[in-house]
Amino acid sequence: MKAIFVTAAGGPEVLQLREAVTPQISGAHEVLVRLHAAGVNPVDTKLRTKNGYHPSAHPYIPGCDGAGVVEAAGDAVTRVKPGDAVFFCHGGIGGAPGNYAEYAVLHEDYCALKPARLGMTEAAALPLVLITAWEALFERAHLQPGETVLIHAAAGGVGHVAVQLAKERGARVFATVSSTDKAAFVKTLGADLAIDYKQQDFVEAVLHHTQGKGADVVFDTVGGETFAKSFDATKVYGRVATLLAPTCDAAQWSVARQRNLIIAYTLMLTPMFYGMHDALVAQRSILETGAHLIETGKLEISVGRVLPLAQAADAHRLIESGHSTGKIVLATA
């Protein structure tokens, strides 16, 4: 089969298309999936530059998100069967092979049936961002109906899904964006307020629209100064969920302490890294919930660009430009 390999830590040029041995089922509960598409995520670019979670694994096949058709199944598989269309988040962090490839093998418990309303491209774009947004909003920040949530980079891959999940939960959604086009986009997804942070200070905007109280929850997908500034936009006794490692100084942390904020990390790759089977099954359950929302018209996934597998390096350059809207996907079939 053809696959993209990360050959060393470095820039997009270290991604190389090579021939690889097609993976084979080795366990009774495993399935072989003929991949049709692989989602591209910012974490893929970060792992490429930092040796991945398993540096000794070079070269390795990246890509956590995949969608395709089950081609073969182990003797004990009961959840799916050959011919089923599935989507999943598995592999790609330097341990198990990822999905920038034509085939993948994984445990049956980690894949969900693809929503009929989605094509393979859209299905491959969904898993990581859906799980990330769900865990951040509902399992880490415990967002409740009627609360106000501020979602940063709301037009991005994780952000645009988070907007929809929050609205479906009954929250009031404030969204930061970087252009008028992105503001219009997030409004179509249900955002109550779109804040162009290049034109307006988002802290001032949030305080103005909450009568000075701040948002109950902030979902930070940007990090850095955006994360630190968010403390002032968060209600006293509020919650901040972040995807990034904080870089705040002592004065900034003192604001969080004075406001008695709960700061929660969200890294949805943790169960995969530690091999936590039950947690991975729970993440599959999130995919199944998302599939139901898709089928009932309550959730959609935006795909900004689709590139052939051989152009994985270009996909990474687009991600790293920071200006993409929606998801970038590689066509693997």
Side-chain angles (χ1 to χ4, degrees), residues 199-236:
Q199 305 295 326
Q200 184 179 16
D201 182 274
F202 73 81
V203 175
E204 293 180 358
V206 170
L207 293 178
H208 173 73
H209 287 276
T210 58
Q211 294 75 51
K213 295 179 180 179
D216 298 283
V217 169
V218 173
F219 181 21
D220 165 48
T221 67
V222 179
E225 190 61 26
T226 297
F227 170 74
K229 282 186 63 177
S230 294
F231 298 159
D232 285 314
T234 309
K235 184 178 180 180
V236 175

mmCIF file of all heavy atoms in Angstrom, residues 199-236:
data_model
loop_
_atom_site.group_PDB
_atom_site.id
_atom_site.type_symbol
_atom_site.label_atom_id
_atom_site.label_comp_id
_atom_site.label_asym_id
_atom_site.label_seq_id
_atom_site.Cartn_x
_atom_site.Cartn_y
_atom_site.Cartn_z
ATOM 1 N N GLN A 199 -10.437 43.490 15.359
ATOM 2 C CA GLN A 199 -11.115 44.781 15.357
ATOM 3 C C GLN A 199 -11.592 45.204 16.740
ATOM 4 O O GLN A 199 -11.841 46.390 16.974
ATOM 5 C CB GLN A 199 -12.330 44.729 14.404
ATOM 6 C CG GLN A 199 -12.005 44.310 12.985
ATOM 7 C CD GLN A 199 -11.110 45.299 12.276
ATOM 8 O OE1 GLN A 199 -11.205 46.511 12.504
ATOM 9 N NE2 GLN A 199 -10.232 44.807 11.412
ATOM 10 N N GLN A 200 -11.731 44.249 17.648
ATOM 11 C CA GLN A 200 -12.312 44.543 18.956
ATOM 12 C C GLN A 200 -11.655 43.681 20.027
ATOM 13 O O GLN A 200 -11.387 42.494 19.807
ATOM 14 C CB GLN A 200 -13.827 44.281 18.925
ATOM 15 C CG GLN A 200 -14.555 44.641 20.205
ATOM 16 C CD GLN A 200 -16.048 44.373 20.091
ATOM 17 O OE1 GLN A 200 -16.505 43.658 19.193
ATOM 18 N NE2 GLN A 200 -16.821 44.949 21.006
ATOM 19 N N ASP A 201 -11.399 44.241 21.189
ATOM 20 C CA ASP A 201 -10.850 43.490 22.303
ATOM 21 C C ASP A 201 -11.907 42.500 22.791
ATOM 22 O O ASP A 201 -13.011 42.899 23.177
ATOM 23 C CB ASP A 201 -10.445 44.430 23.431
ATOM 24 C CG ASP A 201 -9.810 43.692 24.594
ATOM 25 O OD1 ASP A 201 -10.570 43.215 25.457
ATOM 26 O OD2 ASP A 201 -8.573 43.594 24.616
ATOM 27 N N PHE A 202 -11.581 41.202 22.775
ATOM 28 C CA PHE A 202 -12.613 40.226 23.105
ATOM 29 C C PHE A 202 -13.020 40.289 24.567
ATOM 30 O O PHE A 202 -14.176 39.980 24.908
ATOM 31 C CB PHE A 202 -12.191 38.810 22.700
ATOM 32 C CG PHE A 202 -11.125 38.169 23.545
ATOM 33 C CD1 PHE A 202 -11.434 37.557 24.757
ATOM 34 C CD2 PHE A 202 -9.801 38.132 23.113
ATOM 35 C CE1 PHE A 202 -10.458 36.946 25.532
ATOM 36 C CE2 PHE A 202 -8.822 37.516 23.884
ATOM 37 C CZ PHE A 202 -9.144 36.931 25.090
ATOM 38 N N VAL A 203 -12.120 40.696 25.456
ATOM 39 C CA VAL A 203 -12.487 40.826 26.868
ATOM 40 C C VAL A 203 -13.543 41.909 27.035
ATOM 41 O O VAL A 203 -14.568 41.697 27.708
ATOM 42 C CB VAL A 203 -11.257 41.135 27.734
ATOM 43 C CG1 VAL A 203 -11.679 41.386 29.181
ATOM 44 C CG2 VAL A 203 -10.247 39.993 27.671
ATOM 45 N N GLU A 204 -13.318 43.051 26.423
ATOM 46 C CA GLU A 204 -14.292 44.142 26.510
ATOM 47 C C GLU A 204 -15.637 43.720 25.929
ATOM 48 O O GLU A 204 -16.700 44.035 26.490
ATOM 49 C CB GLU A 204 -13.766 45.373 25.769
ATOM 50 C CG GLU A 204 -12.545 46.015 26.414
ATOM 51 C CD GLU A 204 -12.061 47.225 25.635
ATOM 52 O OE1 GLU A 204 -12.660 47.537 24.583
ATOM 53 O OE2 GLU A 204 -11.066 47.843 26.063
ATOM 54 N N ALA A 205 -15.615 42.999 24.807
ATOM 55 C CA ALA A 205 -16.863 42.570 24.180
ATOM 56 C C ALA A 205 -17.632 41.612 25.077
ATOM 57 O O ALA A 205 -18.855 41.743 25.256
ATOM 58 C CB ALA A 205 -16.564 41.912 22.835
ATOM 59 N N VAL A 206 -16.932 40.648 25.670
ATOM 60 C CA VAL A 206 -17.601 39.683 26.543
ATOM 61 C C VAL A 206 -18.180 40.371 27.774
ATOM 62 O O VAL A 206 -19.342 40.129 28.154
ATOM 63 C CB VAL A 206 -16.624 38.564 26.959
ATOM 64 C CG1 VAL A 206 -17.235 37.695 28.059
ATOM 65 C CG2 VAL A 206 -16.253 37.710 25.756
ATOM 66 N N LEU A 207 -17.413 41.245 28.387
ATOM 67 C CA LEU A 207 -17.899 41.940 29.582
ATOM 68 C C LEU A 207 -19.096 42.826 29.248
ATOM 69 O O LEU A 207 -20.058 42.916 30.033
ATOM 70 C CB LEU A 207 -16.772 42.759 30.203
ATOM 71 C CG LEU A 207 -15.610 41.951 30.791
ATOM 72 C CD1 LEU A 207 -14.534 42.879 31.334
ATOM 73 C CD2 LEU A 207 -16.085 40.979 31.869
ATOM 74 N N HIS A 208 -19.044 43.462 28.080
ATOM 75 C CA HIS A 208 -20.163 44.327 27.675
ATOM 76 C C HIS A 208 -21.456 43.529 27.525
ATOM 77 O O HIS A 208 -22.532 43.978 27.955
ATOM 78 C CB HIS A 208 -19.832 45.032 26.361
ATOM 79 C CG HIS A 208 -20.979 45.807 25.789
ATOM 80 N ND1 HIS A 208 -21.419 46.996 26.318
ATOM 81 C CD2 HIS A 208 -21.800 45.537 24.726
ATOM 82 C CE1 HIS A 208 -22.441 47.454 25.617
ATOM 83 N NE2 HIS A 208 -22.698 46.584 24.646
ATOM 84 N N HIS A 209 -21.350 42.344 26.942
ATOM 85 C CA HIS A 209 -22.549 41.550 26.656
ATOM 86 C C HIS A 209 -22.958 40.642 27.814
ATOM 87 O O HIS A 209 -23.947 39.901 27.702
ATOM 88 C CB HIS A 209 -22.337 40.721 25.391
ATOM 89 C CG HIS A 209 -22.353 41.532 24.124
ATOM 90 N ND1 HIS A 209 -23.510 41.871 23.476
ATOM 91 C CD2 HIS A 209 -21.341 42.096 23.412
ATOM 92 C CE1 HIS A 209 -23.231 42.597 22.402
ATOM 93 N NE2 HIS A 209 -21.924 42.752 22.337
ATOM 94 N N THR A 210 -22.227 40.704 28.925
ATOM 95 C CA THR A 210 -22.613 39.935 30.117
ATOM 96 C C THR A 210 -22.792 40.852 31.327
ATOM 97 O O THR A 210 -22.740 40.383 32.459
ATOM 98 C CB THR A 210 -21.560 38.850 30.441
ATOM 99 O OG1 THR A 210 -20.290 39.480 30.640
ATOM 100 C CG2 THR A 210 -21.485 37.814 29.328
ATOM 101 N N GLN A 211 -22.990 42.138 31.056
ATOM 102 C CA GLN A 211 -23.171 43.121 32.119
ATOM 103 C C GLN A 211 -22.007 43.098 33.119
ATOM 104 O O GLN A 211 -22.204 43.226 34.340
ATOM 105 C CB GLN A 211 -24.507 42.908 32.855
ATOM 106 C CG GLN A 211 -25.741 43.163 31.982
ATOM 107 C CD GLN A 211 -26.000 42.045 30.983
ATOM 108 O OE1 GLN A 211 -26.041 40.882 31.338
ATOM 109 N NE2 GLN A 211 -26.168 42.418 29.721
ATOM 110 N N GLY A 212 -20.801 42.907 32.586
ATOM 111 C CA GLY A 212 -19.604 42.964 33.401
ATOM 112 C C GLY A 212 -19.252 41.681 34.136
ATOM 113 O O GLY A 212 -18.220 41.632 34.810
ATOM 114 N N LYS A 213 -20.056 40.640 33.998
ATOM 115 C CA LYS A 213 -19.826 39.409 34.763
ATOM 116 C C LYS A 213 -18.798 38.487 34.110
ATOM 117 O O LYS A 213 -18.036 37.813 34.801
ATOM 118 C CB LYS A 213 -21.148 38.653 34.944
ATOM 119 C CG LYS A 213 -22.174 39.390 35.789
ATOM 120 C CD LYS A 213 -23.461 38.579 35.896
ATOM 121 C CE LYS A 213 -24.497 39.308 36.736
ATOM 122 N NZ LYS A 213 -25.772 38.542 36.831
ATOM 123 N N GLY A 214 -18.784 38.405 32.805
ATOM 124 C CA GLY A 214 -17.913 37.475 32.096
ATOM 125 C C GLY A 214 -18.624 36.183 31.730
ATOM 126 O O GLY A 214 -19.748 35.919 32.172
ATOM 127 N N ALA A 215 -17.977 35.364 30.927
ATOM 128 C CA ALA A 215 -18.547 34.088 30.493
ATOM 129 C C ALA A 215 -18.421 33.044 31.595
ATOM 130 O O ALA A 215 -17.447 33.026 32.347
ATOM 131 C CB ALA A 215 -17.841 33.606 29.231
ATOM 132 N N ASP A 216 -19.412 32.173 31.682
ATOM 133 C CA ASP A 216 -19.346 31.067 32.645
ATOM 134 C C ASP A 216 -18.200 30.118 32.281
ATOM 135 O O ASP A 216 -17.522 29.587 33.164
ATOM 136 C CB ASP A 216 -20.659 30.287 32.648
ATOM 137 C CG ASP A 216 -21.836 31.142 33.071
ATOM 138 O OD1 ASP A 216 -21.973 31.397 34.271
ATOM 139 O OD2 ASP A 216 -22.604 31.560 32.180
ATOM 140 N N VAL A 217 -18.007 29.902 30.969
ATOM 141 C CA VAL A 217 -17.009 28.966 30.471
ATOM 142 C C VAL A 217 -16.246 29.613 29.325
ATOM 143 O O VAL A 217 -16.834 30.302 28.487
ATOM 144 C CB VAL A 217 -17.676 27.656 29.976
ATOM 145 C CG1 VAL A 217 -16.671 26.778 29.212
ATOM 146 C CG2 VAL A 217 -18.274 26.881 31.136
ATOM 147 N N VAL A 218 -14.941 29.398 29.299
ATOM 148 C CA VAL A 218 -14.123 29.774 28.143
ATOM 149 C C VAL A 218 -13.464 28.517 27.612
ATOM 150 O O VAL A 218 -12.894 27.729 28.377
ATOM 151 C CB VAL A 218 -13.044 30.816 28.509
ATOM 152 C CG1 VAL A 218 -12.109 31.054 27.320
ATOM 153 C CG2 VAL A 218 -13.686 32.129 28.938
ATOM 154 N N PHE A 219 -13.553 28.310 26.297
ATOM 155 C CA PHE A 219 -12.887 27.193 25.638
ATOM 156 C C PHE A 219 -11.768 27.773 24.783
ATOM 157 O O PHE A 219 -12.004 28.420 23.767
ATOM 158 C CB PHE A 219 -13.883 26.410 24.786
ATOM 159 C CG PHE A 219 -13.288 25.214 24.082
ATOM 160 C CD1 PHE A 219 -12.122 24.618 24.520
ATOM 161 C CD2 PHE A 219 -13.925 24.667 22.979
ATOM 162 C CE1 PHE A 219 -11.581 23.519 23.878
ATOM 163 C CE2 PHE A 219 -13.397 23.568 22.322
ATOM 164 C CZ PHE A 219 -12.214 22.984 22.770
ATOM 165 N N ASP A 220 -10.529 27.540 25.230
ATOM 166 C CA ASP A 220 -9.349 28.109 24.576
ATOM 167 C C ASP A 220 -8.698 27.079 23.663
ATOM 168 O O ASP A 220 -8.242 26.038 24.126
ATOM 169 C CB ASP A 220 -8.340 28.570 25.630
ATOM 170 C CG ASP A 220 -6.979 28.837 25.033
ATOM 171 O OD1 ASP A 220 -6.930 29.525 23.993
ATOM 172 O OD2 ASP A 220 -5.975 28.350 25.576
ATOM 173 N N THR A 221 -8.651 27.378 22.368
ATOM 174 C CA THR A 221 -7.980 26.517 21.401
ATOM 175 C C THR A 221 -6.758 27.205 20.808
ATOM 176 O O THR A 221 -6.188 26.710 19.832
ATOM 177 C CB THR A 221 -8.936 26.122 20.261
ATOM 178 O OG1 THR A 221 -9.254 27.295 19.492
ATOM 179 C CG2 THR A 221 -10.220 25.522 20.799
ATOM 180 N N VAL A 222 -6.347 28.336 21.385
ATOM 181 C CA VAL A 222 -5.288 29.163 20.822
ATOM 182 C C VAL A 222 -4.036 29.163 21.699
ATOM 183 O O VAL A 222 -2.908 29.035 21.231
ATOM 184 C CB VAL A 222 -5.776 30.611 20.609
ATOM 185 C CG1 VAL A 222 -4.662 31.485 20.049
ATOM 186 C CG2 VAL A 222 -6.984 30.627 19.680
ATOM 187 N N GLY A 223 -4.216 29.329 23.007
ATOM 188 C CA GLY A 223 -3.103 29.364 23.928
ATOM 189 C C GLY A 223 -2.431 30.724 23.999
ATOM 190 O O GLY A 223 -2.956 31.727 23.512
ATOM 191 N N GLY A 224 -1.251 30.769 24.626
ATOM 192 C CA GLY A 224 -0.473 31.992 24.703
ATOM 193 C C GLY A 224 -1.220 33.123 25.380
ATOM 194 O O GLY A 224 -1.904 32.936 26.389
ATOM 195 N N GLU A 225 -1.105 34.321 24.802
ATOM 196 C CA GLU A 225 -1.721 35.497 25.387
ATOM 197 C C GLU A 225 -3.242 35.423 25.367
ATOM 198 O O GLU A 225 -3.909 35.972 26.242
ATOM 199 C CB GLU A 225 -1.242 36.750 24.638
ATOM 200 C CG GLU A 225 -1.626 38.061 25.316
ATOM 201 C CD GLU A 225 -1.038 38.207 26.712
ATOM 202 O OE1 GLU A 225 0.024 37.595 26.999
ATOM 203 O OE2 GLU A 225 -1.644 38.944 27.528
ATOM 204 N N THR A 226 -3.786 34.722 24.371
ATOM 205 C CA THR A 226 -5.240 34.560 24.323
ATOM 206 C C THR A 226 -5.739 33.828 25.563
ATOM 207 O O THR A 226 -6.747 34.212 26.169
ATOM 208 C CB THR A 226 -5.653 33.801 23.053
ATOM 209 O OG1 THR A 226 -5.286 34.565 21.897
ATOM 210 C CG2 THR A 226 -7.157 33.544 23.025
ATOM 211 N N PHE A 227 -5.042 32.768 25.937
ATOM 212 C CA PHE A 227 -5.406 32.026 27.137
ATOM 213 C C PHE A 227 -5.325 32.921 28.372
ATOM 214 O O PHE A 227 -6.259 32.973 29.182
ATOM 215 C CB PHE A 227 -4.479 30.822 27.297
ATOM 216 C CG PHE A 227 -4.597 30.108 28.610
ATOM 217 C CD1 PHE A 227 -5.689 29.296 28.888
ATOM 218 C CD2 PHE A 227 -3.609 30.233 29.578
ATOM 219 C CE1 PHE A 227 -5.794 28.627 30.095
ATOM 220 C CE2 PHE A 227 -3.705 29.575 30.789
ATOM 221 C CZ PHE A 227 -4.803 28.767 31.044
ATOM 222 N N ALA A 228 -4.229 33.659 28.520
ATOM 223 C CA ALA A 228 -4.038 34.499 29.700
ATOM 224 C C ALA A 228 -5.084 35.613 29.769
ATOM 225 O O ALA A 228 -5.629 35.902 30.843
ATOM 226 C CB ALA A 228 -2.634 35.096 29.692
ATOM 227 N N LYS A 229 -5.378 36.249 28.639
ATOM 228 C CA LYS A 229 -6.377 37.315 28.620
ATOM 229 C C LYS A 229 -7.769 36.797 28.962
ATOM 230 O O LYS A 229 -8.618 37.547 29.454
ATOM 231 C CB LYS A 229 -6.419 37.990 27.245
ATOM 232 C CG LYS A 229 -5.292 38.973 26.974
ATOM 233 C CD LYS A 229 -5.509 39.704 25.654
ATOM 234 C CE LYS A 229 -6.784 40.556 25.683
ATOM 235 N NZ LYS A 229 -6.951 41.323 24.423
ATOM 236 N N SER A 230 -7.995 35.524 28.677
ATOM 237 C CA SER A 230 -9.320 34.950 28.891
ATOM 238 C C SER A 230 -9.729 34.940 30.359
ATOM 239 O O SER A 230 -10.925 34.896 30.677
ATOM 240 C CB SER A 230 -9.376 33.519 28.334
ATOM 241 O OG SER A 230 -9.243 33.521 26.936
ATOM 242 N N PHE A 231 -8.764 34.982 31.279
ATOM 243 C CA PHE A 231 -9.114 35.008 32.695
ATOM 244 C C PHE A 231 -10.013 36.207 33.007
ATOM 245 O O PHE A 231 -10.963 36.099 33.790
ATOM 246 C CB PHE A 231 -7.858 35.078 33.562
ATOM 247 C CG PHE A 231 -6.932 33.902 33.417
ATOM 248 C CD1 PHE A 231 -5.598 34.007 33.789
ATOM 249 C CD2 PHE A 231 -7.387 32.690 32.924
ATOM 250 C CE1 PHE A 231 -4.740 32.925 33.673
ATOM 251 C CE2 PHE A 231 -6.544 31.601 32.799
ATOM 252 C CZ PHE A 231 -5.210 31.719 33.172
ATOM 253 N N ASP A 232 -9.696 37.359 32.419
ATOM 254 C CA ASP A 232 -10.485 38.562 32.671
ATOM 255 C C ASP A 232 -11.853 38.507 32.008
ATOM 256 O O ASP A 232 -12.741 39.289 32.352
ATOM 257 C CB ASP A 232 -9.738 39.799 32.168
ATOM 258 C CG ASP A 232 -8.583 40.195 33.075
ATOM 259 O OD1 ASP A 232 -8.784 40.219 34.305
ATOM 260 O OD2 ASP A 232 -7.484 40.460 32.555
ATOM 261 N N ALA A 233 -12.018 37.600 31.046
ATOM 262 C CA ALA A 233 -13.308 37.457 30.364
ATOM 263 C C ALA A 233 -14.165 36.363 30.979
ATOM 264 O O ALA A 233 -15.282 36.118 30.526
ATOM 265 C CB ALA A 233 -13.082 37.159 28.881
ATOM 266 N N THR A 234 -13.637 35.708 32.022
ATOM 267 C CA THR A 234 -14.336 34.601 32.655
ATOM 268 C C THR A 234 -15.000 35.062 33.950
ATOM 269 O O THR A 234 -14.405 35.782 34.751
ATOM 270 C CB THR A 234 -13.367 33.447 32.969
ATOM 271 O OG1 THR A 234 -12.623 33.121 31.801
ATOM 272 C CG2 THR A 234 -14.126 32.210 33.432
ATOM 273 N N LYS A 235 -16.206 34.636 34.157
ATOM 274 C CA LYS A 235 -16.954 34.957 35.371
ATOM 275 C C LYS A 235 -16.220 34.463 36.619
ATOM 276 O O LYS A 235 -15.535 33.438 36.585
ATOM 277 C CB LYS A 235 -18.331 34.279 35.280
ATOM 278 C CG LYS A 235 -19.304 34.567 36.397
ATOM 279 C CD LYS A 235 -20.620 33.842 36.117
ATOM 280 C CE LYS A 235 -21.641 34.086 37.203
ATOM 281 N NZ LYS A 235 -22.914 33.367 36.908
ATOM 282 N N VAL A 236 -16.328 35.197 37.704
ATOM 283 C CA VAL A 236 -15.792 34.726 38.978
ATOM 284 C C VAL A 236 -16.409 33.358 39.293
ATOM 285 O O VAL A 236 -17.607 33.163 39.144
ATOM 286 C CB VAL A 236 -16.084 35.736 40.105
ATOM 287 C CG1 VAL A 236 -15.630 35.189 41.445
ATOM 288 C CG2 VAL A 236 -15.416 37.077 39.802
#
